[in-house]
Amino acid sequence: MAAIRTEDLTKRYGDVVGIEDVSLTVEEGEVFGYLGPNGAGKTTTIRALLGFITPTSGSGEVLGADISDPTALREARADVGFLPSVMGFPEEVTGRRYLDHQARILGDERRDELLELFDPPLDRAIEEYSTGNLRMLGIVRAFMHDPDLVILDEPTSGLDPLKQSHFNAFVRGEVADGTTVFFSSHVLGEVRQVCDRVGILRGGRLVTVEPVDELLHRGGKRVRVVTDEPDRVGAGLDGAVERTVHDGEVQFTYAGDYQALLHHLAALDSVQDVEIAEPPLEDVFLHFYGEENEIGAEAATVADPAPAGTATGTEGDDV
């Protein structure tokens, strides 16, 4: 059984498109990265999956429960952990009191273990928390009842680099133990470290779903060669593009067969230095979005509105 499945899932807010015809499957035991700039429709998808908003059309399932069936979905959500991008904690209570309340709703068999990894100041009022401490409290809350599926919306926002690294390692460990993670993000570096497959949203539509390695291969390897014979570097090599030469240093992008590239380089004379690197994931992402100003235009026309009474951190409190 797939952990998440959607078919032509669509949500419109009047004339504004949140998501349109989104069809995807998240398999049990994988980290699925859901990518797109702010406003692309990531949070709208999550709200629809959790029943916080009603889709305009299409269908979906979470842990086998039809998202249009409130009773079935509520039962399934007992096995779902959720970390929203904007957390609506009650500010006047302490972190400890908040987790105590959540434990009575969800359970907390893993609470102590998680607090050793992510250590929000439990005895301080939540209104005094930094952004990073709020995020750590949310992480503890999302995982403490040992859910089968965890839905994370921009989970590392506000965490320092060390905590981000700990969190990414923790997620990989959870998946190794069988947990499924749906990971919404626009931080491409962490997606590469954590995710097995990714889906990319553009204009509210899902434009591709593929393994991270295949996505990187699409962008081609970055090759740099220092030689006395620059004219021979890349000559006749299928898949070598964007070739530049400067003072005996040749650089090009290569999206062909890797073994062919190695044979080509081995046949060259007078090679002084060779460097082959994976493309930055940001470059691959721009393949789908174009230049930065185009991304801004997308965000201006495709929104994740948050009408009063829709999915905030507070609403997720009974997930």
Side-chain angles (χ1 to χ4, degrees):
M1 180 182 72
I4 295 173
R5 189 188 308 275
T6 70
E7 184 69 30
D8 296 331
L9 194 64
T10 298
K11 178 62 179 178
R12 297 188 182 90
Y13 303 90
D15 293 333
V16 178
V17 175
I19 52 174
E20 188 168 17
D21 295 331
V22 171
S23 298
L24 61 84
T25 299
V26 179
E27 302 294 346
E28 290 184 340
E30 73 168 332
V31 185
F32 186 92
Y34 200 50
L35 309 185
N38 291 333
K42 304 187 300 296
T43 298
T44 292
T45 304
I46 290 172
R47 290 172 180 157
L49 290 173
L50 292 174
F52 297 153
I53 58 175
T54 302
T56 305
S57 60
S59 61
E61 294 181 355
V62 173
L63 297 180
D66 187 336
I67 64 173
S68 66
D69 182 339
T71 301
L73 184 58
R74 178 170 289 276
E75 290 178 0
R77 279 167 48 181
D79 294 316
V80 177
F82 175 45
L83 179 66
S85 59
V86 179
M87 293 168 289
F89 295 125
E91 295 185 349
E92 69 280 0
V93 305
T94 65
R96 187 180 307 279
R97 184 178 173 188
Y98 172 76
L99 291 181
D100 288 343
H101 172 68
Q102 293 300 304
R104 289 190 290 270
I105 299 171
L106 300 168
D108 67 344
E109 54 264 45
R110 300 190 60 191
R111 175 174 171 175
D112 291 342
E113 169 197 350
L114 288 159
L115 287 172
E116 290 183 7
L117 294 172
F118 309 100
D119 53 350
L122 292 182
D123 294 319
R124 290 169 53 188
I126 292 176
E127 63 187 353
E128 300 175 4
Y129 276 27
S130 66
T131 302
N133 283 332
L134 288 172
R135 188 63 54 180
M136 289 190 291
L137 185 65
I139 290 170
V140 173
R141 186 256 188 198
F143 285 90
M144 72 180 188
H145 60 300
D146 200 20
D148 296 327
L149 167 66
V150 183
I151 296 176
L152 306 171
D153 196 356
E154 306 289 350
T156 61
S157 175
L159 294 183
D160 64 49
L162 182 59
K163 288 294 186 185
Q164 288 182 24
S165 178
H166 286 168
F167 176 76
N168 291 341
F170 170 74
V171 168
R172 291 306 314 177
E174 292 298 290
V175 172
D177 290 338
T179 305
T180 305
V181 177
F182 185 85
F183 193 113
S184 167
S185 181
H186 66 272
V187 181
L188 302 180
E190 71 182 2
V191 168
R192 180 175 181 177
Q193 296 175 44
V194 175
C195 297
D196 300 307
R197 292 190 303 141
V198 296
I200 294 180
L201 279 178
R202 172 173 178 158
R205 287 180 170 270
L206 195 62
V207 294
T208 189
V209 175
E210 53 193 294
V212 171
D213 289 345
E214 291 185 14
L215 195 66
L216 290 170
H217 180 73
R218 178 196 295 269
K221 297 186 181 299
R222 305 298 188 257
V223 183
R224 184 183 69 87
V225 180
V226 179
T227 177
D228 292 334
E229 300 178 303
D231 290 344
R232 293 185 57 198
V233 176
L237 184 65
D238 291 339
V241 297
E242 300 176 3
R243 184 176 178 277
T244 62
V245 180
H246 180 70
D247 290 339
E249 179 178 288
V250 183
Q251 297 189 36
F252 60 92
T253 298
Y254 180 72
D257 179 72
Y258 186 60
Q259 292 301 317
L261 172 64
L262 296 181
H263 287 311
H264 171 78
L265 295 175
L268 297 174
D269 298 323
S270 304
V271 172
Q272 301 164 27
D273 190 26
V274 175
E275 180 180 311
I276 303 173
E278 296 287 354
L281 196 54
E282 287 79 358
D283 288 0
V284 181
F285 193 68
L286 286 176
H287 170 78
F288 297 97
Y289 270 91
E291 297 302 322
E292 189 171 334
N293 60 349
E294 185 179 350
I295 296 175
E298 292 277 0
T301 57
V302 181
D304 266 329
T310 58
T312 67
T314 301
E315 284 185 304
D317 284 349
D318 63 346
V319 174

